Amino acid sequence: MESKFEFSDLFNFEKLIAPKVLKIVYWIGIAGISVTGLSMFVSGLGMMQYTAGGGFGMMLMALFVLAFGTLFWRIIIEIYMVFFGIFDRLGDIRASLDKTPQP
């Protein structure tokens, strides 16, 4: 069971705060990708009055940004989460090795 985070944990690096912060960063990134994709889509609609092909291309690019940008962002965040998970597992292994009797 995981204990609560205390102020002294900021100085000993036994508990990591980055996984909690990464969840916030993930949602901020998703919001940014969504705003960017939607603004590109609206710009494509506005561009349609000047050139239909360019506007349609911009709208397709907006859908591409929304789909693949979200997927790529998720993969990047998951890679960081794996690194922090490895750190946690190594700490568990160290703790279990400390408990075993030495010959």
Side-chain angles (χ1 to χ4, degrees):
M1 180 167 33
E2 194 172 313
S3 61
K4 293 178 99 177
F5 188 80
E6 297 177 10
F7 185 72
S8 62
D9 293 333
L10 288 174
F11 303 109
N12 62 16
F13 290 96
E14 289 298 319
K15 294 180 187 172
L16 299 177
I17 62 170
K20 294 171 183 62
V21 172
L22 277 176
K23 290 176 186 175
I24 296 168
V25 169
Y26 171 74
W27 287 109
I28 291 171
I30 290 296
I33 291 168
S34 299
V35 167
T36 301
L38 291 175
S39 66
M40 285 176 65
F41 193 83
V42 170
S43 296
L45 284 174
M47 191 185 292
M48 291 283 275
Q49 66 184 347
Y50 301 110
T51 171
F56 185 70
M58 181 78 124
M59 289 174 13
L60 285 177
M61 183 59 76
L63 294 175
F64 179 80
V65 165
L66 282 170
F68 290 104
T70 302
L71 179 65
F72 181 73
W73 184 243
R74 175 68 187 228
I75 290 170
I76 294 297
I77 295 296
E78 283 184 3
I79 288 170
Y80 282 113
M81 294 297 278
V82 165
F83 288 143
F84 291 115
I86 290 170
F87 178 81
D88 286 339
R89 299 310 180 278
L90 287 174
D92 293 343
I93 292 169
R94 182 184 63 196
S96 68
L97 288 177
D98 289 342
K99 291 179 184 176
T100 58
Q102 298 295 327

